[in-house]
Amino acid sequence: MERLETAILAGGCFWCLEAVYKELDGVVEVKSGYAGGHVPNPTYEQVCTGTTGHAEVVRVTYDPSVITYDDLLDVFFTIHDPTTLNRQGNDVGEQYRSAIFTLSEEQERKAREAIRRVEEQGLYDDPIVTQVEPAGEFYPAEAYHDDYFARNPYQPYCAAVIAPKVAKFRKQHLHRLRRGAAPSGAAG
């Protein structure tokens, strides 16, 4: 049996991250949720107020024999802007921060190495503000967030924000897509 591993990532709206990570070969499951806050069992409505301290995150379960943690981080740094503090585009607030929630010392080391690599490559004009912190408790988001983009590709936010991100991701990471991934959703 395959040995699965987990990554928890925050890069703005979790609908965007879920839509991308679900298309990667080697990813077994992507679950939207909340991490990094101080309120137990937060709801979406509570997190949206920006008062719980949580970030919208995805918990990515993957097969490391197919895709590595480093690969997941490489994708992460191309699908959101890691230089904007507590915001992604029009989504503003601590809940939309860029963060890597680590589950081990190795993940912490690799996350910090990935940030250094991105900074050295000069991919962004501004400094990287991505936080690296221990994962703590992960709270699954409400079920209606699951497969949100796939189920709502023509909803205005999905069409205007998520679809272009998915299209950009597919172009940059074509070699990492699972077979049949590209036709799904509105960005195909």
Side-chain angles (χ1 to χ4, degrees), residues 32-72:
S32 293
Y34 317 107
H38 54 81
V39 174
N41 300 304
T43 65
Y44 181 65
E45 289 74 23
Q46 289 174 312
V47 172
C48 284
T49 67
T51 61
T52 69
H54 291 91
E56 289 191 14
V57 301
V58 288
R59 181 181 63 197
V60 180
T61 305
Y62 64 99
D63 179 349
S65 70
V66 179
I67 190 166
T68 67
Y69 188 69
D70 289 333
D71 294 334
L72 296 176

Coordinates of all heavy atoms in Angstrom, one line a residue, residues 32-72:
S32 N -10.7 21.6 1.8 CA -10.6 22.9 2.3 C -10.9 23.0 3.8 O -11.6 22.2 4.3 CB -11.7 23.8 1.5 OG -11.4 23.9 0.2
G33 N -10.3 24.0 4.4 CA -10.5 24.1 5.8 C -9.9 25.4 6.4 O -9.6 26.3 5.6
Y34 N -9.7 25.4 7.7 CA -9.2 26.5 8.4 C -8.1 26.1 9.3 O -8.1 25.1 10.0 CB -10.3 27.2 9.2 CG -11.6 27.3 8.5 CD1 -12.7 26.4 8.8 CD2 -11.7 28.1 7.4 CE1 -13.9 26.5 8.0 CE2 -12.9 28.2 6.7 CZ -14.0 27.4 7.0 OH -15.1 27.4 6.3
A35 N -7.0 26.9 9.4 CA -5.9 26.6 10.3 C -5.3 27.9 10.8 O -5.4 29.0 10.2 CB -4.8 25.8 9.6
G36 N -4.5 27.8 11.9 CA -3.7 29.0 12.4 C -4.5 29.9 13.2 O -4.0 31.0 13.5
G37 N -5.7 29.6 13.7 CA -6.5 30.5 14.5 C -6.6 30.2 15.9 O -6.0 29.2 16.4
H38 N -7.4 30.9 16.6 CA -7.6 30.7 18.1 C -9.0 30.3 18.5 O -9.3 30.1 19.7 CB -7.1 31.9 18.8 CG -7.8 33.2 18.4 ND1 -9.1 33.6 18.8 CD2 -7.4 34.1 17.5 CE1 -9.4 34.7 18.2 NE2 -8.4 35.1 17.4
V39 N -9.9 30.2 17.5 CA -11.3 29.8 17.9 C -11.5 28.3 17.5 O -11.3 28.0 16.3 CB -12.3 30.7 17.1 CG1 -13.7 30.3 17.3 CG2 -12.1 32.2 17.5
P40 N -12.0 27.5 18.4 CA -12.2 26.1 18.0 C -13.4 26.0 17.1 O -14.4 26.7 17.2 CB -12.5 25.4 19.4 CG -12.5 26.5 20.4 CD -12.2 27.8 19.8
N41 N -13.3 25.0 16.2 CA -14.4 24.7 15.2 C -15.0 26.0 14.6 O -16.3 26.1 14.6 CB -15.5 23.9 15.9 CG -14.9 22.6 16.5 OD1 -14.4 21.8 15.7 ND2 -15.1 22.4 17.8
P42 N -14.2 26.8 13.9 CA -14.8 28.0 13.3 C -15.7 27.7 12.1 O -15.5 26.7 11.4 CB -13.5 28.8 12.9 CG -12.6 27.7 12.5 CD -12.8 26.6 13.6
T43 N -16.6 28.5 11.9 CA -17.4 28.4 10.7 C -16.9 29.3 9.6 O -16.1 30.2 9.9 CB -18.9 28.9 10.9 OG1 -18.9 30.3 11.3 CG2 -19.5 28.1 12.1
Y44 N -17.3 29.1 8.4 CA -16.9 30.0 7.3 C -17.2 31.5 7.6 O -16.4 32.4 7.3 CB -17.5 29.5 6.0 CG -17.2 30.3 4.7 CD1 -15.9 30.3 4.3 CD2 -18.1 31.0 4.0 CE1 -15.5 31.0 3.1 CE2 -17.8 31.8 2.9 CZ -16.5 31.8 2.4 OH -16.2 32.5 1.3
E45 N -18.4 31.7 8.1 CA -18.9 33.0 8.4 C -18.0 33.7 9.4 O -17.6 34.8 9.3 CB -20.3 33.0 8.8 CG -21.3 32.7 7.7 CD -21.4 31.2 7.3 OE1 -20.9 30.3 8.1 OE2 -21.8 31.0 6.2
Q46 N -17.6 32.9 10.4 CA -16.7 33.5 11.5 C -15.3 33.8 10.9 O -14.8 34.8 11.1 CB -16.5 32.5 12.6 CG -17.7 32.3 13.5 CD -17.5 31.2 14.5 OE1 -17.1 30.1 14.2 NE2 -17.9 31.5 15.7
V47 N -14.8 32.9 10.1 CA -13.4 33.1 9.5 C -13.5 34.3 8.6 O -12.5 35.1 8.6 CB -12.9 31.8 8.8 CG1 -11.7 32.1 8.0 CG2 -12.7 30.7 9.8
C48 N -14.5 34.5 7.8 CA -14.6 35.6 6.9 C -14.6 37.0 7.6 O -14.3 38.0 7.0 CB -15.9 35.5 6.1 SG -15.8 34.3 4.7
T49 N -14.9 37.0 8.9 CA -14.9 38.3 9.7 C -13.5 38.7 9.9 O -13.2 39.9 10.2 CB -15.6 38.2 11.0 OG1 -14.9 37.3 11.9 CG2 -17.1 37.7 10.9
G50 N -12.5 37.8 9.8 CA -11.1 38.1 10.1 C -10.8 38.2 11.6 O -9.7 38.6 11.9
T51 N -11.7 37.7 12.4 CA -11.5 37.8 13.9 C -11.0 36.5 14.6 O -10.7 36.6 15.7 CB -12.7 38.4 14.6 OG1 -13.8 37.4 14.4 CG2 -13.1 39.8 14.1
T52 N -11.0 35.4 13.8 CA -10.7 34.1 14.4 C -9.2 33.8 14.4 O -8.7 32.9 15.0 CB -11.5 33.0 13.8 OG1 -11.0 32.8 12.4 CG2 -13.0 33.2 13.8
G53 N -8.5 34.5 13.5 CA -7.0 34.3 13.3 C -6.7 33.2 12.3 O -5.6 32.9 12.0
H54 N -7.8 32.5 11.8 CA -7.6 31.4 10.9 C -7.3 31.9 9.5 O -7.7 33.0 9.1 CB -8.8 30.5 10.8 CG -9.1 29.7 12.1 ND1 -9.9 30.2 13.1 CD2 -8.7 28.5 12.5 CE1 -9.9 29.4 14.1 NE2 -9.2 28.3 13.7
A55 N -6.6 31.1 8.8 CA -6.4 31.3 7.3 C -7.3 30.2 6.6 O -7.5 29.1 7.1 CB -5.0 31.1 6.9
E56 N -7.8 30.6 5.4 CA -8.4 29.6 4.6 C -7.3 28.7 4.0 O -6.3 29.3 3.5 CB -9.2 30.2 3.4 CG -10.4 30.9 3.9 CD -11.3 31.3 2.7 OE1 -11.1 30.8 1.5 OE2 -12.2 32.1 2.9
V57 N -7.3 27.4 4.2 CA -6.3 26.5 3.8 C -6.8 25.3 3.0 O -8.0 25.1 3.0 CB -5.5 25.9 5.0 CG1 -4.9 27.1 5.8 CG2 -6.4 25.1 5.9
V58 N -5.9 24.6 2.4 CA -6.2 23.3 1.8 C -5.3 22.3 2.5 O -4.1 22.5 2.7 CB -6.1 23.2 0.3 CG1 -7.2 23.9 -0.4 CG2 -4.8 23.6 -0.2
R59 N -5.9 21.1 2.8 CA -5.1 20.0 3.3 C -5.0 19.0 2.1 O -6.0 18.5 1.6 CB -5.8 19.3 4.5 CG -5.0 18.1 5.1 CD -5.8 17.5 6.2 NE -7.0 16.9 5.7 CZ -8.1 16.5 6.4 NH1 -8.0 16.7 7.7 NH2 -9.2 16.1 5.9
V60 N -3.7 18.9 1.7 CA -3.5 18.1 0.5 C -2.9 16.8 0.9 O -1.8 16.7 1.5 CB -2.5 18.8 -0.5 CG1 -2.2 18.0 -1.7 CG2 -3.0 20.2 -0.8
T61 N -3.6 15.7 0.6 CA -3.1 14.3 0.9 C -2.5 13.8 -0.4 O -3.2 13.9 -1.5 CB -4.2 13.4 1.4 OG1 -4.8 14.0 2.5 CG2 -3.6 12.0 1.7
Y62 N -1.2 13.4 -0.4 CA -0.5 13.0 -1.6 C 0.3 11.8 -1.5 O 0.7 11.4 -0.4 CB 0.3 14.2 -2.2 CG 1.4 14.6 -1.2 CD1 2.7 14.2 -1.5 CD2 1.2 15.4 -0.1 CE1 3.7 14.6 -0.6 CE2 2.2 15.8 0.7 CZ 3.5 15.4 0.5 OH 4.5 15.7 1.3
D63 N 0.7 11.2 -2.6 CA 1.6 10.1 -2.7 C 3.0 10.6 -3.0 O 3.2 11.0 -4.1 CB 1.1 9.1 -3.7 CG 2.0 7.9 -3.9 OD1 3.1 7.8 -3.3 OD2 1.5 6.9 -4.6
P64 N 3.9 10.6 -2.0 CA 5.2 11.1 -2.3 C 6.1 10.3 -3.3 O 7.1 10.8 -3.8 CB 5.9 11.1 -0.9 CG 5.2 10.1 -0.2 CD 3.8 10.0 -0.7
S65 N 5.6 9.2 -3.7 CA 6.3 8.4 -4.7 C 6.0 9.0 -6.1 O 6.6 8.7 -7.1 CB 6.0 6.9 -4.7 OG 4.7 6.6 -5.0
V66 N 4.9 9.8 -6.2 CA 4.5 10.4 -7.5 C 4.7 11.9 -7.5 O 5.2 12.4 -8.5 CB 2.9 10.1 -7.7 CG1 2.4 10.8 -9.0 CG2 2.6 8.6 -7.6
I67 N 4.5 12.6 -6.4 CA 4.7 14.0 -6.3 C 5.3 14.3 -4.9 O 4.8 13.7 -3.9 CB 3.4 14.8 -6.6 CG1 3.7 16.3 -6.7 CG2 2.3 14.5 -5.5 CD1 2.5 17.1 -7.3
T68 N 6.3 15.2 -4.9 CA 6.9 15.5 -3.6 C 6.4 16.7 -3.0 O 5.7 17.5 -3.6 CB 8.5 15.7 -3.9 OG1 8.7 16.9 -4.6 CG2 9.1 14.5 -4.6
Y69 N 6.7 16.9 -1.7 CA 6.4 18.1 -1.0 C 7.0 19.3 -1.7 O 6.3 20.4 -1.8 CB 6.9 18.0 0.5 CG 6.4 19.1 1.4 CD1 5.1 19.2 1.8 CD2 7.4 20.0 1.9 CE1 4.7 20.2 2.6 CE2 7.0 21.0 2.8 CZ 5.6 21.1 3.1 OH 5.2 22.1 4.0
D70 N 8.2 19.2 -2.1 CA 8.9 20.3 -2.9 C 8.1 20.6 -4.1 O 7.9 21.8 -4.5 CB 10.3 19.9 -3.3 CG 11.3 19.9 -2.1 OD1 11.0 20.6 -1.1 OD2 12.2 19.1 -2.1
D71 N 7.6 19.6 -4.8 CA 6.7 19.9 -6.0 C 5.5 20.7 -5.6 O 5.1 21.6 -6.3 CB 6.3 18.6 -6.7 CG 7.4 17.8 -7.3 OD1 8.5 18.4 -7.7 OD2 7.3 16.6 -7.4
L72 N 4.8 20.3 -4.5 CA 3.7 21.0 -4.1 C 4.0 22.4 -3.7 O 3.2 23.3 -4.1 CB 3.1 20.3 -2.8 CG 2.5 18.9 -3.0 CD1 2.1 18.3 -1.7 CD2 1.4 18.8 -4.0

